[in-house]
Amino acid sequence: MTTAELTIFEALESNVRGYCRAWPTLFDTAQGAWLRDGSGREYLDFFAGAGALNYGHNNPVLKQALLDYIARDGITHGLDMSTVAKRELLEAIERILLDPRGLDYKVQFPGPTGANAVESALKLARKITGRTTILNFTNAFHGMTLGALSVTGNAAKRAGAGVPLVHVNPMPYDGYVEGADFGWMERVLDDNSSGVDKPAAVIVETVQGEGGVNVARHEWLRALAGLCAARGILLIVDDVQMGCGRTGPFFSFETAGITPDIVTLSKSISGYGMPLALVLMRRELDQWAPGEHNGTFRGNNPAFVTAKVSLEHFWTDRKLEESTLLKGERIRESFGALADSHAGITTRGRGLVQGLSFEDASQASKVCRIAFEKGLIVETSGAEDQVVKLLPPLTITDDELDHGLKILTDAVHTIREGR
Amino acid sequence: MTTAELTIFEALESNVRGYCRAWPTLFDTAQGAWLRDGSGREYLDFFAGAGALNYGHNNPVLKQALLDYIARDGITHGLDMSTVAKRELLEAIERILLDPRGLDYKVQFPGPTGANAVESALKLARKITGRTTILNFTNAFHGMTLGALSVTGNAAKRAGAGVPLVHVNPMPYDGYVEGADFGWMERVLDDNSSGVDKPAAVIVETVQGEGGVNVARHEWLRALAGLCAARGILLIVDDVQMGCGRTGPFFSFETAGITPDIVTLSKSISGYGMPLALVLMRRELDQWAPGEHNGTFRGNNPAFVTAKVSLEHFWTDRKLEESTLLKGERIRESFGALADSHAGITTRGRGLVQGLSFEDASQASKVCRIAFEKGLIVETSGAEDQVVKLLPPLTITDDELDHGLKILTDAVHTIREGR
Amino acid sequence: MTTAELTIFEALESNVRGYCRAWPTLFDTAQGAWLRDGSGREYLDFFAGAGALNYGHNNPVLKQALLDYIARDGITHGLDMSTVAKRELLEAIERILLDPRGLDYKVQFPGPTGANAVESALKLARKITGRTTILNFTNAFHGMTLGALSVTGNAAKRAGAGVPLVHVNPMPYDGYVEGADFGWMERVLDDNSSGVDKPAAVIVETVQGEGGVNVARHEWLRALAGLCAARGILLIVDDVQMGCGRTGPFFSFETAGITPDIVTLSKSISGYGMPLALVLMRRELDQWAPGEHNGTFRGNNPAFVTAKVSLEHFWTDRKLEESTLLKGERIRESFGALADSHAGITTRGRGLVQGLSFEDASQASKVCRIAFEKGLIVETSGAEDQVVKLLPPLTITDDELDHGLKILTDAVHTIREGR
Amino acid sequence: MTTAELTIFEALESNVRGYCRAWPTLFDTAQGAWLRDGSGREYLDFFAGAGALNYGHNNPVLKQALLDYIARDGITHGLDMSTVAKRELLEAIERILLDPRGLDYKVQFPGPTGANAVESALKLARKITGRTTILNFTNAFHGMTLGALSVTGNAAKRAGAGVPLVHVNPMPYDGYVEGADFGWMERVLDDNSSGVDKPAAVIVETVQGEGGVNVARHEWLRALAGLCAARGILLIVDDVQMGCGRTGPFFSFETAGITPDIVTLSKSISGYGMPLALVLMRRELDQWAPGEHNGTFRGNNPAFVTAKVSLEHFWTDRKLEESTLLKGERIRESFGALADSHAGITTRGRGLVQGLSFEDASQASKVCRIAFEKGLIVETSGAEDQVVKLLPPLTITDDELDHGLKILTDAVHTIREGR
């Protein structure tokens, strides 16, 4: 890879570009857990499109379905017209996702991004309740459009709004304040002079990926759901990053035994990395008027095709869920060993979202930089970028996983011991 | 098409769905200007994905490039990593779009929707100026996320926000108040006690598609640009629907001879109907910090491939622009004849966005309904849905155009004369 | 007056102080139209407490009633308890103000400032209609608390808010845009895609004092009232400065023949310059819940006493109204002569609010400065401080008026001709 | 008192009236701790104008000064012109309040209400810091205009705004969540991804009167001040109700040993129940531009006179402070006995703001109703109106205090035991 090949990006692409700075090469092709650059060098991918590639890059089964669909001139852009591809996806959602789990949701196709799904969910919750306030959580990340950004925690990203972000009140996420749980939240909700206006909804991630791989306990999620239900507050689970099997089951909230009022899905829902997003809402909450929320690309039919095939291929049995949990354990063991050998390192995670947190935040970035040099793509997260966050494809092999963990382990040792 | 085939949509898809109600059939494949449903019936498409399919459905040249890219495992989902597909698109943008027009823009890849491009543009304008107010125009449409919705005019869509939409002040679009032009806008901007806070930016469509095919005169756009420049207010042209050749030239503002500070593109920019959006900004306005705006699907590489090929195929000479203007004339002639024969009908448009406006608004919907029965897809727009809006593919043949115009002409006669 | 006597103000009083800079002396006593400073120098008052002293300083009739009330230990501070003083004021309001004019208003005592009356009116209008937007007018002034400031035009004062001032949309005041009238306002209200959300209320001054003595024509006010009534929009007349006889009749809107839905009064309502404010609302609009708006000083009983006596003394016949109009004519003649002799000077006004507007704005301040040196208190107003604004006590004698006008005339000649 | 005498209030005064419903008689005169109604009946006042009458009704020393001032035609309404009365007040503030306490404050005269002082303080804090968010506390009360209401807790009062109240984030007041202190507040301020935007200021009452007589510990206030200072966040103490000696010392924050950045004063500052308010700010924070905040009644000169005399009369030695603390003890003893005899009753307070809190909230109102029948004026406060709040004049005699406490004690026994 010569630097010349990257010149155009510096000359023409906006300064807003980010990841290309951390991984300065010219990527070309990808397969499974591997990316390949223009010079033929290969990189193992522990980031998986920030969770958009749970089934790896260019999965051959999905790829064939996609090629067939394009070849036969299946509709590409369908707005929200009824199409064969959409019907088949809806049927698969009903048959594979909803019915077996006893979920009586209706399905909305907003614009094809997670932020758009979040914006839709917030609008719907406000419309239904006639209230404006949303409770979000510390260190949350929900997207960059104005509504989604308002419920996001990061100060630098919030400042980008250019207007005050309002109608929102952050609450402490599980573990944020030692031993605090819902003492504060319940108190303000039940006190009509607390100054916190009664909210339309609470929006929560079951594991905060961007926030630093913060894991909410199942009992905390159950308590949250109960607290909302008792007060007529809608519960929105933003499953954009943690859904589609990232934590084990398809929906990240399944294990906690809760049923959110509204669920947002995106990232891996198309299975192939193509833009797609869904909003699921309890049937009685589907109070949208026709066309009240829309978007040009809400009918990305090729993504419907791969989404349907991915559900059929990965979610008609429990194999993927089980292997995800096993691989998660594999990472935890490796990370546990690191935490044992080095002070100031802790581990956190669920399923195949796992984090290695450094007391000295700068070490996390150093680890990622060394890893890239050794051919591993991995990113930091957290308020101080203090966490090395692993989001490998769920379909990664044990050997690939071990290969990457070896690189990480070496990198940590190098940082910590000069080894 | 049996009704049974549509049952799943009513049972499972949210009430928010819209177009499928106007065109109640199950579409399957598409080619050029034609859609085909599951029963083999064909429909001529005068809506073209609301302007996302300027080069028709599944254009064979783009299709082949897309198939090749997928087949060779080109990266599908690339965040904002540097990729070969992105480099080639950037080079094509520079070579084909910017250099020949003397435009010194930088290119941002926001999330892949028009709304996201608008949100980015508003954020950037506010960041640069440190001001919060945006001036928009009556009957504007810019999208459905909170920031984009705030600058959109439609009351029902605005109400969907569930929170007051603020930091915006609508100004009269060209022709909105007879003979008014910029009297009001200039007066309030130059009066420091007008109560209209000095704005960060003005956002404008050169032709308001959703707003009812309202066409801004070139001299009005020039005056607007001058007025902004003189006062340090940024001019954002939202070219999401009117760009990519819809009005003739690639950028809809070219003919007016203006250079906006910021331009948003989406819809037809990928050429193939796949989600993609761009923000162009004058080089010195690229004051983004790395990662200050981002989005999971900002690296939709297959769309980069078709975008690049579409620029090479359609925009290296002036043939498409010229044929667009000629076909526009063809529609105008047909519509002119209708306006001449029937009172209460007027025409408006530029290039291949053309409207037939009915004094009795209900007639517009009736025309569209009859047209659909005859195999023509066409939609209304405007505050009262009083305008039959034509957005055919730019690549439509004269014969196809005449075929559709014949259906429309007959439909109007039927409505108006019982013929 | 020695400078030393003013030292404490510079040392201890906040920089926010204003008028003391224009009139740098130490005032002590006052009577009628005259102020006297510590050194015994007298100043004729053409500003009258910015309209809070319509009956002059320390009117002897009111003074005696006030002294009696205090001497007999009448309640001073009564919150909103029922008191004898309040009962007598309510009876006088009913007998003298409402009944003779056929006004079926209820009376609210908000906190004792005009801003508080405006805040109450806006809150009530929003509560009644369930809408948030208020239409205000260019160059309006309604006060400095956050709600009142949002409907005020002055950019410097608005900037003081420190937060964006929202939920408001300025409309052109009468004459603001040549020949425009309600073209723009009606158009946006009747177009559900205009982007201007349907407002709760319109708030208007019949003459904009702070705004530069801009006078709304009676027919314009009638059209405004009709336009609001037809659309279910509440009409709030802010009569804080123009009420209590300033333009002739007690309510400034009487001559126009309109009945506002809500009226705010303050400034001269106590008659003696003591803090007091009222909100009048059509009986059916009194939808307040008990205590929903309150304030510690809403029961300023000494002000109730003087308010009642001032109504009885000045408003049981038409003498004051008539003399106000005659004196207004006297000013107009004097100002007319000035405008005739000097290019770039125009006149405006109604009753005893009269303005002399200078094309070269700086001359207005110069005139006021010279006037002060000659013993006349007079202020500028308008977006550029381009208007010398006259607000003399309504009880001023013709001789006093002539004396002040002579000073002004000389000052203008001096400025313009070096005379 | 015949009902007929109250008819006009029902017929003409807005439903918003409140206290007159709890105390349905027609008050006429008042002296010291006593109110007298039209029929000659006397009521002992344990409410003292909600804290505006710390020196009792119509204190004879102040009364004489006021009568003299009015009689000699001292200026009544002076805007912010320099006057003799204002100079003498400023000198007294410097000599009696600031210098002895080593406070280097400047003095602003905003409009004459506590809400206006709060609005000024918030505006100033935002202007100085360039930030918009204010941290307030649960159960806070700061006023009813839009800015002041936004930092107030009461849900019903907040709903009256008719617009969302934003730019504010409530924090737990001392004792609000058992053992929580500043764990939450410090955590969110020091975490740049907490979602709580860095605030301009914190606004706090040292004792929350309206909120239910919640008393902040001195160490809590010190910790708050330290926490703000360390982070460049301004500390505003709203001393409108608790200042002027209510808790003992002149400023309620003195005992805690803190120096707020900004202090608001109103209610008892004029000493005589006349409208007046002050904002004190550290000298270097006086960044106001001339006229940036103003108000017609900011120069209520008769109130300057009584304010000055009240400072001289009550605050040149420590007698009032000491007697306030002793009388507070007297109440605490009486209340302690009640709490000891009845389960479900607790006590709280500092100096002469004391509360009796009922587990069964309805009992508090009942106590007040019975007390009124026995000739005692006393009010409830708290989120559920569960607290009987005592705010007697500081100048009340021990006998009067005992008389009132006897009535209260009897009322509680009646409620609780049928005695």
Side-chain angles (χ1 to χ4, degrees), chain B residues 196-245:
Chain B
V196 175
D197 297 315
K198 184 166 184 184
V202 170
I203 186 165
V204 68
E205 304 155 276
T206 61
V207 178
Q208 295 182 321
E210 275 293 296
V213 192
N214 308 315
V215 180
R217 289 164 299 148
H218 297 320
E219 57 267 35
W220 186 88
L221 289 168
R222 270 194 299 274
L224 176 62
L227 189 157
C228 289
R231 287 163 186 80
I233 300 165
L234 299 177
L235 177 64
I236 304 168
V237 169
D238 182 348
D239 232 11
V240 164
Q241 193 172 55
M242 293 305 140
C244 305

Side-chain angles (χ1 to χ4, degrees), chain A residues 300-414:
Chain A
N300 188 11
N301 278 254
F304 296 165
V305 169
T306 55
K308 174 222 159 200
V309 177
S310 71
L311 293 182
E312 291 173 341
H313 191 69
F314 293 109
W315 294 103
T316 48
D317 59 32
R318 310 203 50 176
K319 283 185 201 149
L320 184 66
E321 175 173 356
E322 285 158 10
S323 86
T324 295
L325 296 175
L326 287 173
K327 287 171 195 159
E329 271 314 302
R330 209 171 184 100
I331 299 176
R332 293 189 74 81
E333 276 165 37
S334 170
F335 278 10
L338 278 172
D340 289 345
S341 357
H342 300 283
I345 296 185
T346 54
T347 71
R348 59 255 310 264
R350 175 176 288 155
L352 274 172
V353 52
Q354 295 289 341
L356 198 61
S357 183
F358 289 79
E359 216 173 84
D360 172 354
S362 70
Q363 298 180 339
S365 300
K366 284 179 196 154
V367 166
C368 292
R369 196 159 53 244
I370 294 174
F372 179 71
E373 286 161 13
K374 303 291 183 193
L376 180 71
I377 302 280
V378 63
E379 242 295 69
T380 59
S381 76
E384 310 291 333
D385 288 325
Q386 77 278 26
V387 177
V388 173
K389 177 173 67 166
L390 267 58
L391 292 170
L394 311 183
T395 51
I396 198 167
T397 66
D398 286 350
D399 284 352
E400 289 166 338
L401 198 55
D402 291 346
H403 175 67
L405 290 170
K406 176 72 166 56
I407 293 176
L408 278 178
T409 299
D410 291 348
V412 172
H413 289 327
T414 302

Side-chain angles (χ1 to χ4, degrees), chain B residues 68-90:
Chain B
D68 291 348
Y69 186 76
I70 296 169
R72 77 170 183 89
D73 280 333
I75 282 174
T76 301
H77 181 282
L79 295 161
D80 63 357
M81 293 187 271
S82 302
T83 63
V84 170
K86 193 181 198 176
R87 190 185 63 180
E88 292 182 356
L89 174 55
L90 282 170

Side-chain angles (χ1 to χ4, degrees), chain B residues 38-226:
Chain B
S39 68
R41 188 165 177 216
E42 299 200 315
Y43 302 83
L44 183 61
D45 190 354
F46 269 22
F47 193 47
L53 295 163
N54 283 1
Y55 318 125
H57 291 270
N58 300 329
N59 177 287
V61 177
L62 307 183
K63 174 178 168 178
Q64 194 53 52
L66 179 61
L67 287 170
D68 291 348
Y69 186 76
I70 296 169
R72 77 170 183 89
D73 280 333
I75 282 174
T76 301
H77 181 282
L79 295 161
D80 63 357
M81 293 187 271
S82 302
T83 63
V84 170
K86 193 181 198 176
R87 190 185 63 180
E88 292 182 356
L89 174 55
L90 282 170
E91 288 167 348
I93 289 172
E94 189 173 49
R95 189 176 73 248
I96 300 171
L97 293 186
L98 303 184
D99 284 355
R101 290 167 181 81
L103 296 170
D104 191 21
Y105 285 139
K106 290 189 81 179
V107 180
Q108 178 184 0
F109 296 84
T113 68
N116 208 310
V118 168
E119 296 260 345
S120 301
L122 299 182
K123 283 166 77 167
L124 182 61
R126 284 165 168 152
K127 177 187 164 85
I128 291 169
T129 61
R131 305 175 206 135
T132 56
T133 299
I134 304 288
L135 300 189
N136 63 339
F137 288 98
T138 51
N139 302 134
F141 182 87
H142 298 288
M144 298 296 278
T145 51
L146 214 52
L149 189 52
S150 70
V151 286
T152 289
N154 186 285
K157 295 201 185 321
R158 290 176 70 82
V163 293
L165 296 170
V166 296
H167 311 304
V168 57
N169 198 301
M171 288 289 151
Y173 195 71
D174 191 13
Y176 191 74
V177 179
E178 186 80 37
D181 277 25
F182 294 106
W184 167 238
M185 183 163 159
E186 281 195 288
R187 185 81 174 82
V188 300
L189 288 177
D190 293 343
D191 173 5
N192 68 19
S193 284
S194 67
V196 175
D197 297 315
K198 184 166 184 184
V202 170
I203 186 165
V204 68
E205 304 155 276
T206 61
V207 178
Q208 295 182 321
E210 275 293 296
V213 192
N214 308 315
V215 180
R217 289 164 299 148
H218 297 320
E219 57 267 35
W220 186 88
L221 289 168
R222 270 194 299 274
L224 176 62

Side-chain angles (χ1 to χ4, degrees), chain C residues 79 81, chain D residues 19 22-25 27 33-35 42-49 57 368 371-379 389-393 404 407-408:
Chain C
L79 292 164
M81 296 188 268
Chain D
Y19 291 121
W23 305 318
T25 190
F27 295 101
W34 295 90
L35 288 153
E42 297 199 317
Y43 301 82
L44 182 62
D45 189 356
F46 269 23
F47 194 45
H57 291 271
C368 292
F372 178 72
E373 286 161 15
K374 304 292 184 192
L376 180 71
I377 302 282
V378 64
E379 242 296 67
K389 176 174 68 167
L390 267 59
L391 292 170
I407 293 176
L408 278 179

Side-chain angles (χ1 to χ4, degrees), chain B residues 346-378:
Chain B
T346 52
T347 70
R348 60 255 308 266
R350 173 176 289 157
L352 274 172
V353 50
Q354 296 287 342
L356 198 60
S357 182
F358 289 80
E359 214 172 85
D360 173 354
S362 70
Q363 296 180 340
S365 299
K366 285 179 196 154
V367 165
C368 291
R369 195 157 56 245
I370 293 174
F372 178 72
E373 286 161 14
K374 303 292 183 192
L376 180 71
I377 302 280
V378 63

Side-chain angles (χ1 to χ4, degrees), chain C residues 55-381:
Chain C
Y55 317 125
H57 291 271
N58 301 328
N59 178 287
V61 177
L62 307 184
K63 174 178 169 178
Q64 194 53 53
L66 179 60
L67 287 170
D68 292 349
Y69 187 75
I70 295 170
R72 79 169 183 87
D73 279 335
I75 281 174
T76 301
H77 182 280
L79 292 164
D80 66 356
M81 296 188 268
S82 302
T83 64
V84 171
K86 194 181 197 177
R87 191 186 61 180
E88 293 182 358
L89 173 56
L90 282 170
E91 287 167 349
I93 289 172
E94 190 172 47
R95 189 175 72 249
I96 300 170
L97 293 186
L98 304 184
D99 284 356
R101 291 169 178 79
L103 296 170
D104 192 20
Y105 285 138
K106 290 190 79 179
V107 181
Q108 177 184 0
F109 295 85
T113 68
N116 208 310
V118 168
E119 296 260 345
S120 302
L122 299 183
K123 283 165 77 167
L124 182 61
R126 284 166 168 151
K127 176 186 164 88
I128 291 169
T129 60
R131 305 175 206 135
T132 56
T133 300
I134 305 288
L135 299 189
N136 62 340
F137 288 98
T138 50
N139 301 134
F141 182 87
H142 298 288
M144 298 297 277
T145 51
L146 214 53
L149 189 53
S150 72
V151 285
T152 289
N154 185 285
K157 295 198 185 326
R158 292 176 70 81
V163 294
L165 296 169
V166 295
H167 311 305
V168 59
N169 199 300
M171 289 287 153
Y173 195 71
D174 191 13
Y176 190 75
V177 179
E178 189 77 37
D181 276 27
F182 294 105
W184 167 238
M185 183 163 158
E186 281 196 287
R187 185 81 174 81
V188 299
L189 288 177
D190 293 343
D191 173 5
N192 68 18
S193 285
S194 67
V196 175
D197 297 316
K198 184 166 183 183
V202 170
I203 186 163
V204 69
E205 304 154 276
T206 61
V207 178
Q208 296 181 321
E210 275 294 296
V213 192
N214 308 314
V215 181
R217 290 164 299 148
H218 297 321
E219 58 267 34
W220 186 87
L221 289 167
R222 271 194 299 275
L224 176 63
L227 187 157
C228 288
R231 287 163 186 82
I233 300 166
L234 298 176
L235 178 63
I236 303 169
V237 169
D238 182 348
D239 233 9
V240 164
Q241 191 172 57
M242 293 305 141
C244 304
R246 175 54 57 190
T247 68
F250 185 84
F251 294 110
S252 73
F253 53 79
E254 292 180 45
T255 325
I258 63 170
T259 303
D261 296 297
I262 303 178
V263 180
T264 55
L265 288 172
S266 184
K267 291 202 186 267
S268 282
I269 187 66
S270 86
Y272 205 73
M274 291 190 299
L276 185 62
L278 300 179
V279 180
L280 309 179
M281 72 232 17
R282 285 194 299 108
R283 181 165 296 275
E284 64 270 32
L285 299 181
D286 182 23
Q287 299 178 14
W288 285 114
E292 199 171 7
H293 187 87
N294 60 34
T296 294
F297 292 116
R298 65 196 185 281
N300 188 11
N301 277 253
F304 295 165
V305 170
T306 54
K308 174 219 158 203
V309 177
S310 71
L311 292 182
E312 290 174 343
H313 191 67
F314 292 109
W315 295 103
T316 49
D317 60 31
R318 309 204 50 175
K319 281 186 201 149
L320 184 66
E321 176 174 355
E322 285 158 9
S323 87
T324 295
L325 296 176
L326 286 173
K327 287 171 196 157
E329 271 313 301
R330 210 171 184 99
I331 301 175
R332 293 190 74 81
E333 276 165 36
S334 171
F335 277 11
L338 278 172
D340 288 347
S341 355
H342 300 283
I345 297 184
T346 53
T347 71
R348 59 255 310 265
R350 174 176 289 156
L352 274 172
V353 50
Q354 295 288 342
L356 198 61
S357 182
F358 290 78
E359 215 173 83
D360 173 353
S362 71
Q363 297 181 339
S365 300
K366 285 180 196 152
V367 165
C368 292
R369 195 158 56 243
I370 293 175
F372 179 71
E373 286 161 14
K374 303 293 182 192
L376 180 71
I377 302 280
V378 64
E379 243 294 68
T380 59
S381 75

